[in-house]
Amino acid sequence: MWVLRCRGWEISENQVTPEWVVLSRRTILAGAAGLIAAPAPGAVSGQSARAVRNPKYKTDHPLSAEQDVTRYNNYYEFGSNKIIWKEAQELKQRPWAVRIEGLVKQPRTLDIDDLLKRVSPEERVYRHRCVEAWAMIVPWTGFPLAELLRIAEPLGSAKYVAFETAADKSMPELRQSWYPWPYTEGLTIEEAQNELAFLSTGIYGKPMPPQNGGPLRLTVPWKYGFKSGKSVVRIIFTERRPKTFWSELQANEYGFWANVNPAVPHPRWSQATERLLTTDERVPTKIFNGYAEYVAALYTDKQGEKLFV
Ligand SMILES: Nc1nc2c(c(=O)[nH]1)N[C@H]1C(S)=C(S)[C@@H](COP(=O)(O)O)O[C@H]1N2
Ligand SMILES: [Mo]
C-alpha cells in the first residue's frame, strides 16, 4: 500500500495513497463499499426555493449522482476513510457563527442566517478534483467569496485570507493529536476575489449536508479539493501566508497553491487522469481543472512558486 514505487502514468485510484497515509499506518477500513440504501442524509429543514443556476459555468460531463457526492467524502475530522456521512450527521448546523478577524476594518461575528440575508444565492455547476485523482461534477448553491470580502472589509495590508473550519466535539478524529487541528486553508486575496471562488451553502438544491461541509464550505474549483475547507467557522485576513493543514503535515506533497495540473505529478502518483464519480469513467485531467481562462492570469507573476503541488 506504500505507493512510493508506484509512479505509473495512469494508475487506478486504489493504488493512489490517499492523503491520510502520509501520517497514519493504521489499517484501512476495508469494505468501504457500504453504500447502503438509506434515507438521504439529514439536512437542515426549512429550505427555500432552489437558487437559479448561473449558466456561465459549463462542464463537459453530466452531474455526478447526488447519492455518490453525499456518501463518498473526505472529511478527516470524522474519519480517514470515505464513508463518514453517517458520523457527520452529528455536526449541528445551527446555530452557526462565522468569525471574521485579522486585518479587517472591524472584527466581527456573523450569524450564518444573517450572512445569507446579505448575499444573493445562485447555483453553479463546477468540477471538483481531489488530489487523490477522483473527481465529481456538482451543482453548488452559494455566493461568490468576493461578496464575503465586501462585507468583511479587509485592510489594504491584507494579502491572504485563511479559513479555519469547525473543531467540534462531535468529531472523533480530533482525538488523533498528530493532526494539526483545526483544519485550515488559505488563499491570496487575489484568488479570493476571483469570480470562481465561491462559498457554498448547498448542493443539488438542498442545504449543504454536514458531510459535504455544511453549513458553509469553500469551493475553489481550479485547485485540488483539499483547498476547499468544510464547515468554515473563522475567516482571518493576514499579511503573511497562513499555515494550512495539509502543508503542515507534508508540505512537499500538499502545498499552498495546489492548482490542478495534469503535467505535474504528485510526488507519489500521476495526475494525468482522474476517475469521475458515478460513471467511474477515467478522463484526462485539465490544467486548472478546466478553469484556465478564469484563473491563469493570477499566476503569471508567480512562476518561481510551486504552483501545482
Ligand atoms: N474541514 C475539512 N475540509 C475538507 C476536508 C477535510 O478533511 N476536512 N477534506 C478536503 C478534501 S481532501 C476534499 S477532496 C474535499 C472533499 O469534499 P466532498 O467530501 O464534499 O467531496 O473536502 C476538502 N475539505
Ligand atoms: Mo481531496
Side-chain angles (χ1 to χ4, degrees):
M1 199 51 213
W2 289 83
V3 189
L4 294 160
R5 66 195 181 309
C6 198
R7 285 168 185 265
W9 184 244
E10 182 173 318
I11 60 176
S12 74
E13 186 185 323
N14 53 15
Q15 294 173 279
V16 167
T17 309
E19 283 118 319
W20 58 265
V21 174
V22 299
L23 260 230
S24 140
R25 286 175 184 258
R26 287 167 298 167
T27 33
I28 301 173
L29 294 180
L35 298 171
I36 313 144
V44 178
S45 57
Q47 170 70 342
S48 49
R50 187 165 183 157
V52 174
R53 182 172 299 178
N54 187 329
K56 185 170 178 191
Y57 307 103
K58 306 233 188 300
T59 56
D60 53 4
H61 292 277
L63 293 183
S64 306
E66 180 180 349
Q67 155 120 352
D68 299 324
V69 173
T70 55
R71 295 187 187 185
Y72 182 91
N73 300 101
N74 270 338
Y75 202 155
Y76 279 71
E77 289 86 334
F78 289 102
S80 49
N81 70 87
K82 297 285 182 282
I83 314 299
I84 53 76
W85 62 269
K86 278 189 186 161
E87 288 79 0
Q89 305 312 305
E90 296 299 316
L91 181 61
K92 269 184 68 189
Q93 306 285 288
R94 293 292 191 281
W96 193 274
V98 182
R99 178 79 187 150
I100 301 204
E101 58 190 42
L103 301 173
V104 288
K105 210 163 149 192
Q106 175 72 59
R108 65 186 118 173
T109 303
L110 294 171
D111 175 77
I112 182 98
D113 294 308
D114 294 336
L115 169 62
L116 294 183
K117 278 178 210 143
R118 298 176 64 176
V119 296
S120 16
E122 60 181 279
E123 184 178 83
R124 293 190 183 185
V125 177
Y126 278 164
R127 308 178 96 259
H128 171 94
R129 171 54 155 85
C130 176
V131 70
E132 298 163 346
W134 55 272
M136 60 187 186
I137 295 153
V138 180
W140 307 93
T141 313
F143 56 93
L145 179 55
E147 285 197 39
L148 187 279
L149 263 57
R150 180 177 47 74
I151 294 168
E153 299 181 282
L155 303 178
S157 52
K159 304 236 176 336
Y160 295 91
V161 52
F163 300 85
E164 189 180 296
T165 77
D168 182 272
K169 55 185 181 320
S170 70
M171 298 170 161
E173 288 295 294
L174 295 194
R175 276 176 251 138
Q176 311 294 4
S177 56
W178 58 80
Y179 287 117
W181 308 116
Y183 194 101
T184 48
E185 257 310 332
L187 300 170
T188 64
I189 290 285
E190 293 76 27
E191 289 176 324
Q193 272 159 346
N194 185 272
E195 68 171 89
L196 291 180
F198 204 59
L199 278 169
S200 297
T201 57
I203 49 175
Y204 298 90
K206 299 171 187 164
M208 187 70 80
Q211 67 270 32
N212 293 96
L216 188 70
R217 175 228 174 104
L218 187 61
T219 308
V220 279
W222 69 99
K223 292 178 176 283
Y224 290 117
F226 65 86
K227 296 294 297 182
S228 293
K230 294 178 166 181
S231 311
V232 171
V233 292
R234 239 173 116 210
I235 300 177
I236 312 138
F237 292 84
T238 63
E239 191 159 3
R240 305 263 296 273
R241 188 177 298 181
K243 287 183 178 168
T244 57
F245 182 84
W246 286 107
S247 294
E248 289 268 284
L249 286 175
Q250 196 78 352
N252 66 321
E253 300 197 352
Y254 310 104
F256 176 78
W257 297 102
N259 295 304
V260 175
N261 188 336
V264 179
H266 182 276
R268 289 180 286 125
W269 59 83
S270 166
Q271 296 289 22
T273 65
E274 61 206 31
R275 179 185 69 91
L276 292 178
L277 292 195
T278 304
T279 61
D280 263 355
E281 223 181 321
R282 191 154 274 276
V283 299
T285 291
K286 298 175 188 189
I287 180 82
F288 294 112
N289 201 24
Y291 298 102
E293 62 176 302
Y294 300 101
V295 297
L298 289 169
Y299 306 105
T300 45
D301 64 341
K302 297 197 166 55
Q303 297 308 312
E305 300 271 349
K306 286 179 103 182
L307 292 172
F308 302 105
V309 175

